[in-house]
Amino acid sequence: MEKSLGASFLIFCLHLGWVSCQQKVEQSPPTQTVQEGENTTFSCHYSDSGSRAVQWFKQDPGKGLISLFYIASEGKQKGRLRSTINRKELLSSLYITDSQPEDSGIYLCAVEPQ
Ligand SMILES: *[C@@H]1O[C@H](CO)[C@@H](O)[C@H](O)[C@H]1NC(C)=O
């Protein structure tokens, strides 16, 4: 059987008590399917310029929320995942290089208020 489907992603704005959740997600529609080996970018816009940090999570079925990155000022890298923040543009991005089927899932970004 041909394996053409790499990973499918869903991105959501996270609602937790301690975060403000005002960001819009650039992707439209918010579901994205990529081929295995492709690169993927998620963008998370937020509107509160006083926000201190952005946090990225992945939700895995049966495993709950996994914290991927906590980004306050500079970019971070973890294996094939990288995240950056641009405080001027109120934008945080999550990059996945060489997408693999196990990357499939729901990704969430949360903005920490002042
Ligand atoms: C994905 O990104 C990596 C690192 O930036 C680059 O080397 C590679 O060519 C990109 N792959 C594709 C399919 O664009």
Side-chain angles (χ1 to χ4, degrees), residues 90-107:
L90 307 179
L91 171 74
S92 178
S93 301
L94 178 69
Y95 304 94
I96 301 176
T97 53
D98 187 19
S99 299
Q100 299 296 313
E102 64 263 29
D103 296 327
S104 294
I106 298 174
Y107 289 79

Side-chain angles (χ1 to χ4, degrees), residues 59-75:
Q59 183 162 33
D60 269 346
K63 283 194 199 161
L65 275 187
I66 298 165
S67 175
L68 299 172
F69 293 104
Y70 180 90
I71 308 278
S73 56
E74 53 195 42

